[in-house]
Amino acid sequence: MIFNSLTFALFLPIVFVLYWFVFNKNLKVQNLLLVVASYVFYGWWDWRFLSLIFISSISDYTIGYFLAKQKGKLGRKLLLWLSLAINLGFLGFFKYYNFFSESLIEAFRYVGIHLHESSLNIILPVGISFYTFQTLSYTIDIYRKNIEPTTQIISFFAFVSFFPQLVAGPIERASKLLPQFQNARVFNVVKAKDGLRQILAGLIKKVVIADTLAIQVDLIFGGDLAATPGLVLIFGAILFVFQIYGDFSGYTDIAIGTARLFGFDLMRNFAYPFFSRNINEFWQRWHISLSTWFRDYVFIPLGGSYCSKSKQVRNIIITFTISGFWHGANWTFVIWGFLNGLYYLPLLLSSKKRKYTNIVAYDRKLPSLKETLQILITFALFTFSMVFFRSASLSEAFSYLKLSVLNIGVRPELIFNWVLSPSFVFVILLIIVEWVQRRKQYFLQIENLPFFMRWTVYLLAIASLVYLGQFSSSQQFIYFQF
């Protein structure tokens, strides 16, 4: 089941009514309803993979319970490794088996040894990378004695499978989200209205902006690259960056807004990343839940920043490369992660990685010339890396980048066509709206505007969904494949 579908439009109000008006007297029954609803939501895609969520949930609940009982270091480590083996075992098999198998065969073929092909026709379960990391953080935090294990199994199952953020995050920590299942919720009209506004914002990003851009991006990346002008290829890369941003941050907005309807607060996952002044600030604003997960469970255990410069460089490269590999079983994602790690190194070596923690031009209408150049350079670096993210293979990515330069030319008519295209208009409007709203949590957070202005914006937003939304294509969210 996907957010931009008629099925979900019927599913959500049914669960909402049952949750607040039928089962609101009993917290355990409320949580059980969320578990059932979440399993229906996920099973709508493929019911067979519900067993994976169930096994991850029951195993980590049990391991967490015994971790708290176990006093010996060896016993605690064995339990932690058991949790890692179960969760990463599932993730590794379903997501990476064919990648490692084919890479091994290719490596042996390179030295003249021919092995038998052993690829399997494996279906990647939607969202397995997200809920695996979420449940893993629970056992790791118990092992570190940062949290105590829960004794409420229904609450834990709800925490792992909570349908708004089940398949594409935000990746929540047990310390923040689990207590929200264990404490009684009271319906809050203000919070519900805020949730509806953020859902509307997310739908606009997804079905109006991202799915419109997807049409042109698919034509450019899927066309004859050699016959495509370099300016068009550059344009395609830029459009893809805004497509994936609209798609993924749109999903996040819908997830956060939906959770708010049920009385839950999920962490912010995007904070206007295209106004970042360097790559460190960018990764503090893009997919925040994953970036902080890798910081806390990979980068810091490796030694973090409290070691020599050479080891800091190692830690950064390893963390970003693994992050790239998390996105998919393809060398293109590995290179994408590695590139972003390289971008980070000049900041690390010059000790300027923490320079920007505030909102750009917070008390000004426009950025300075220096800030504008910094924003454009950061965007250009990220866009370059995203060619690898979008390409099906390394050879395709290198061809795309090479032809973007070789076929550049001077084509004024192409620039004119860009300016008149709906894709360009959507991108410019998104940039303007987000710049104006950059101090807010999301761009439709306008509850303080006068009534007439507020409802004018709402009606225009709804009209854009009705008349400009790409509902007919029913495109899934890009991050479902990760």
Side-chain angles (χ1 to χ4, degrees):
M1 195 182 301
I2 55 177
F3 289 154
N4 55 322
S5 67
L6 178 60
T7 306
F8 184 74
L10 297 173
F11 169 84
L12 181 59
I14 291 173
V15 178
F16 180 84
V17 169
L18 291 174
Y19 180 85
W20 284 120
F21 300 104
V22 178
F23 301 121
N24 58 313
K25 302 297 183 183
N26 190 308
L27 181 61
K28 288 184 178 180
V29 176
Q30 251 190 345
N31 287 338
L32 183 59
L33 171 67
L34 290 178
V35 173
V36 172
S38 299
Y39 274 54
V40 170
F41 177 87
Y42 190 81
W44 207 269
W45 174 73
D46 193 326
W47 64 269
R48 294 172 297 175
F49 291 116
L50 288 172
S51 59
L52 298 181
I53 300 178
F54 179 82
I55 293 172
S56 291
S57 300
I58 195 66
S59 60
D60 282 324
Y61 175 82
T62 306
I63 290 169
Y65 174 82
F66 284 107
L67 264 173
K69 301 291 185 182
Q70 181 61 246
K71 303 301 180 184
K73 289 185 178 180
L74 178 59
R76 290 174 60 79
K77 283 186 177 181
L78 288 175
L79 286 169
L80 176 63
W81 279 106
L82 178 60
S83 175
L84 291 169
I86 293 171
N87 288 288
L88 297 183
F90 280 140
L91 183 61
F93 176 76
F94 284 99
K95 192 168 184 176
Y96 300 108
Y97 175 84
N98 284 340
F99 172 80
F100 285 117
S101 174
E102 291 165 6
S103 297
L104 183 64
I105 291 169
E106 189 63 31
F108 274 97
R109 184 180 298 149
Y110 184 76
V111 296
I113 301 173
H114 297 277
L115 300 179
H116 177 67
E117 297 282 350
S118 59
S119 297
L120 301 177
N121 185 24
I122 299 172
I123 301 174
L124 178 64
V126 169
I128 188 171
S129 299
F130 288 89
Y131 68 74
T132 295
F133 271 27
Q134 182 154 310
T135 188
L136 261 182
S137 67
Y138 172 75
T139 51
I140 295 173
D141 283 352
I142 293 174
Y143 174 79
R144 292 176 173 178
K145 298 183 179 180
N146 293 334
I147 61 172
E148 292 293 326
T150 180
T151 57
Q152 300 178 26
I153 190 169
I154 295 175
S155 296
F156 183 76
F157 269 65
F159 157 73
V160 175
S161 64
F162 191 39
F163 73 88
Q165 45 93 223
L166 171 60
V167 294
I171 303 170
E172 287 288 348
R173 308 296 176 83
S175 59
K176 177 179 181 292
L177 183 56
L178 189 53
Q180 296 184 58
F181 287 101
Q182 296 171 329
N183 299 320
R185 279 89 62 183
V186 178
F187 182 71
N188 186 310
V189 175
V190 174
K191 183 178 285 191
K193 288 180 178 179
D194 192 51
L196 289 174
R197 276 192 296 268
Q198 195 155 1
I199 290 172
L200 180 57
L203 286 172
I204 290 171
K205 284 184 182 178
K206 168 58 179 172
V207 303
V208 177
I209 298 174
D211 288 351
T212 299
L213 297 181
I215 297 171
Q216 197 158 2
V217 170
D218 290 345
L219 285 174
I220 295 173
F221 274 85
D224 183 355
L225 298 182
T228 305
L231 286 174
V232 173
L233 295 179
I234 294 171
F235 185 51
I238 293 171
L239 288 186
F240 174 65
V241 171
F242 282 99
Q243 177 203 346
I244 198 168
Y245 172 69
D247 192 284
F248 192 23
S249 70
Y251 174 94
T252 298
D253 283 334
I254 299 171
I256 293 172
T258 301
R260 200 166 287 138
L261 290 178
F262 293 90
F264 293 88
D265 291 315
L266 300 182
M267 73 177 296
R268 191 180 188 185
N269 212 19
F270 289 87
Y272 307 113
F274 298 138
F275 306 135
S276 302
R277 288 151 289 184
N278 60 37
I279 205 68
N280 176 63
E281 185 182 7
F282 182 89
W283 283 109
Q284 291 176 344
R285 296 179 177 276
W286 178 284
H287 203 174
I288 300 167
S289 65
L290 182 68
S291 299
T292 53
W293 198 99
F294 275 105
R295 178 198 66 196
D296 294 343
Y297 300 110
V298 177
F299 180 69
I300 291 176
L302 285 172
S305 300
Y306 298 98
C307 51
S308 65
K309 285 290 185 182
S310 61
K311 289 185 178 179
Q312 289 181 46
V313 169
R314 178 203 64 186
N315 298 343
I316 285 291
I317 294 298
I318 290 175
T319 302
F320 272 99
T321 303
I322 294 175
S323 173
F325 195 45
W326 174 91
H327 282 82
N330 194 319
W331 285 107
T332 55
F333 295 113
V334 175
I335 296 299
W336 171 79
F338 179 75
L339 271 175
N340 279 276
L342 288 182
Y343 295 161
Y344 197 93
L345 295 186
L347 299 172
L348 175 68
L349 297 175
S350 63
S351 301
K352 294 181 179 179
K353 61 182 183 299
R354 301 183 188 277
K355 185 175 181 180
Y356 299 116
T357 57
N358 61 323
I359 297 172
V360 62
Y362 183 83
D363 54 354
R364 289 175 279 124
K365 291 184 178 180
L366 295 173
S368 66
L369 178 60
K370 177 183 177 182
E371 289 169 335
T372 302
L373 290 174
Q374 290 173 323
I375 289 170
L376 291 175
I377 291 170
T378 302
F379 179 80
L381 289 171
F382 184 68
T383 301
F384 178 86
S385 72
M386 290 301 283
V387 172
F388 291 92
F389 195 100
R390 178 58 176 77
S391 300
S393 64
L394 287 178
S395 60
E396 182 181 306
F398 286 122
S399 294
Y400 195 101
L401 293 169
K402 180 179 70 174
L403 293 169
S404 297
V405 176
L406 295 180
N407 294 352
I408 190 69
V410 178
R411 302 286 296 276
E413 72 278 9
L414 291 177
I415 299 175
F416 183 73
N417 289 337
W418 292 357
V419 174
L420 295 180
S421 70
S423 299
F424 183 81
V425 173
F426 285 153
V427 167
I428 295 301
L429 286 175
L430 177 65
I431 292 172
I432 293 172
V433 170
E434 291 210 334
W435 177 260
V436 172
Q437 292 290 92
R438 68 191 183 283
R439 302 175 190 89
K440 304 291 187 179
Q441 291 290 305
Y442 58 95
F443 72 76
L444 264 183
Q445 196 172 18
I446 55 172
E447 67 277 8
N448 293 326
L449 289 180
F451 178 85
F452 177 76
M453 292 179 63
R454 189 168 69 247
W455 275 97
T456 299
V457 173
Y458 294 154
L459 292 174
L460 286 173
I462 294 170
S464 72
L465 284 178
V466 174
Y467 293 104
L468 301 174
Q470 302 293 324
F471 286 101
S472 59
S473 60
S474 296
Q475 293 195 44
Q476 289 199 8
F477 290 84
I478 294 174
Y479 264 68
F480 278 22
Q481 64 186 293
F482 305 138

